[in-house]
Amino acid sequence: MPALPPGIPVPDDGGLPAWARPSGPVATAQPFGVYVHVPFCTVRCGYCDFNTYTASELGGGANQAAYATTALREVSLARQVLSDAGRSPAAVSTVFFGGGTPTMLPAEDLARVLTGIREAWGLADGVEVTTEANPDSVTPESLRVLADAGFTRVSFGMQSAVPHVLATLERTHDPLRIPDVVRWARDAGLDVSLDLIYGTPGESLDDWRTSVEAALATGVDHVSAYALVVEPGTKMAAQVRRGEVTLPDEDDQAAKYELADDLLTAAGLRWYEVSNWSRPGHECRHNVGYWRGDDWWGVGPGAHSYVSAPDPASDAAVGDTTDGDEPPAGVRWWNVKHPRAYATRLEAGHSPGAGRELLTREEAHLERVMLGVRLREGLDLGVLSAQGRTAVAGLVARGLLDGHAALGVGAAGSGTPGGSPGAGTARAVLTRRGRLLADAVVRDLTA
């Protein structure tokens, strides 16, 4: 697992910087999400570098059975911190339980944490509440408990339908179970998403086709497809270094992405973010909030949070500045990583925050471009610097950006989450080739 950045110290009470207090009303209608990290897994997959722990890795003092109570202590802290700063949300727009495997906890524990979030801030009408799950970590009964508690969506880590690919990834579930868990979730009234991974060592193009077609055969309304990234320090990275497995080349990865896009689009699921496809109205609104720069609080060990400045461009934002002169655009912080340290701090009445950073306007702008351009709706060209706008023509000529959208006359970005751009709005919208080279597009737009 990668180390957390050191950052600057988080106050013992978790308080936000003085400039984060708005001059307007206490409650804000700005979208606000809550992420709950559940750091437990039955086994550690060889490619995974997430902040997760098996029973043997936890050690003493990290009680999985008490985790819901510990998480609720942070929810209570968050409520106080946001209230003291005048940043209490009018209601929570989205909640996402991720991990790890959240459904390793009893469904009643997940329901109790959601109830605590509801009691702290309220849930907006039409709130989206998602939990991740492994196919072998749910039952029809547990899914009904979640739905009755207010969960609206479950995202299953399918990864592949091919046994030898699952074995390489060290996934433990039976691929034949996928249709069953999708049916159980739908019978409980939950929307369902399936997560897939392409580019596993030894996976052929036909293997990948089998996986995508198997996902579509379940009739789900949302699919995420991510290229396997082997991070340093993982078991798979060591296998690659020793020559035990061979990673596919970029052409193989591109062919698999294009195949997925073809199959998913033909089935009525269109891309709304580089790695995500859905039927209209079934996008993951929580993740869209990240890509659009909404505020969120992350609960759990290693979880990150972000609160934007009330008005990043206002000279009224004073106190803790980024360079002694420029007011910050927002503050991001992260919790201590180990569940034991996390629980100990909260039990003592202290913030679990390990460090935080103040984002300059330049950093916030870079992130807005980097994340916003990944969406189907694209990015308003007015957000770009003069140099970035100059780069658009070259990106269109190289087939990386949609030319009609760049002129404000295309429909390439229409019908996306939150509505389509207005007539005449010039936008940077990735073509399919641009999606494959999104990092290069961002470099040109932010040069």
Side-chain angles (χ1 to χ4, degrees):
M1 290 175 283
L4 291 170
I8 57 179
V10 175
D12 203 43
D13 64 359
L16 297 179
W19 52 260
R21 176 178 291 277
S23 57
V26 171
T28 173
Q30 178 181 355
F32 182 82
V34 176
Y35 172 74
V36 181
H37 187 67
V38 181
F40 309 118
C41 283
T42 54
V43 299
R44 175 173 295 282
C45 300
Y47 63 91
C48 180
D49 75 333
F50 292 165
N51 188 41
T52 62
Y53 302 83
T54 64
S56 63
E57 293 171 332
L58 277 173
N63 189 342
Q64 183 172 318
Y67 186 73
T69 297
T70 303
L72 285 170
R73 287 193 175 104
E74 187 178 1
V75 171
S76 179
L77 172 75
R79 178 182 183 179
Q80 188 64 51
V81 167
L82 293 174
S83 176
D84 289 347
R87 299 300 296 269
S88 296
V92 172
S93 309
T94 63
V95 185
F96 196 103
F97 288 72
T101 306
T103 44
M104 276 192 66
L105 296 183
E108 292 78 8
D109 281 6
L110 299 179
R112 190 154 63 93
V113 175
L114 180 59
T115 296
I117 293 168
R118 181 186 291 110
E119 291 174 348
W121 298 292
L123 301 179
D125 291 341
V127 65
E128 174 192 272
V129 183
T130 302
T131 185
E132 294 180 335
N134 281 343
D136 53 6
S137 67
V138 298
T139 65
E141 294 74 23
S142 69
L143 291 167
R144 282 196 295 269
V145 170
L146 294 175
D148 290 345
F151 283 75
T152 64
R153 189 172 179 275
V154 60
S155 178
F156 289 114
M158 175 181 172
Q159 317 312 3
S160 175
V162 180
H164 80 83
V165 175
L166 290 172
T168 300
L169 293 171
E170 298 184 84
R171 302 292 293 184
T172 59
H173 67 270
D174 181 350
L176 298 178
R177 187 178 173 90
I178 297 297
D180 291 335
V181 298
V182 171
R183 185 178 69 256
W184 298 343
R186 285 188 148 176
D187 287 348
L190 298 168
D191 277 355
V192 184
S193 175
L194 294 177
D195 283 2
L196 298 173
I197 290 177
Y198 61 92
T200 300
E203 178 189 59
S204 68
L205 191 61
D206 283 342
D207 288 335
W208 176 236
R209 178 187 291 275
T210 295
S211 294
V212 178
E213 290 179 342
L216 289 172
T218 67
V220 293
D221 297 313
H222 188 286
V223 172
S224 299
Y226 301 105
L228 177 65
V229 176
V230 179
E231 300 289 354
T234 61
K235 178 180 177 181
M236 186 172 283
Q239 292 173 318
V240 172
R241 187 173 61 251
R242 293 193 298 263
E244 297 171 5
V245 297
T246 302
L247 294 176
D249 59 27
E250 292 181 359
D251 289 342
D252 179 86
Q253 297 278 56
K256 288 171 179 169
Y257 182 90
E258 290 173 339
L259 176 61
D261 191 47
D262 287 341
L263 294 173
L264 294 166
T265 301
L269 283 72
R270 64 181 184 183
W271 80 280
Y272 70 93
E273 189 274 340
V274 169
S275 298
N276 291 274
W277 291 257
S278 77
R279 302 187 201 281
H282 292 271
E283 301 84 1
C284 179
R285 290 190 280 121
H286 184 84
N287 286 341
V288 170
Y290 292 145
W291 297 316
R292 288 182 173 167
D294 294 342
D295 291 357
W296 82 89
W297 191 291
V299 173
H304 285 58
S305 304
Y306 174 75
V307 171
S308 58
D311 179 3
S314 171
D315 290 335
V318 294
D320 301 320
T321 57
T322 53
D323 60 3
D325 181 43
E326 179 187 70
V331 57
R332 177 164 45 227
W333 67 96
W334 45 91
N335 289 342
V336 293
K337 291 185 68 173
H338 199 280
R340 181 170 59 252
Y342 173 76
T344 299
R345 290 199 185 192
L346 285 165
E347 286 167 3
H350 303 316
S351 165
R356 71 185 183 190
E357 61 180 343
L358 308 181
L359 271 68
T360 66
R361 295 184 200 175
E362 181 179 356
E363 289 167 338
H365 173 263
L366 175 62
E367 291 191 3
R368 183 176 181 186
V369 175
M370 180 178 66
L371 297 175
V373 80
R374 295 179 63 87
L375 292 169
R376 181 184 179 94
E377 66 196 58
L379 190 71
D380 188 331
L381 295 190
V383 171
L384 301 176
S385 66
Q387 188 171 353
R389 290 193 296 273
T390 300
V392 169
L395 291 167
V396 170
R398 290 158 57 193
L400 303 180
L401 290 180
D402 182 271
H404 293 293
L407 293 173
V409 296
S414 64
T416 53
S420 59
T425 303
R427 306 185 74 83
V429 176
L430 295 172
T431 61
R432 185 158 81 169
R433 174 174 162 77
R435 282 182 265 158
L436 291 168
L437 298 170
D439 290 344
V441 172
V442 170
R443 284 195 297 271
D444 284 5
L445 294 179
T446 58

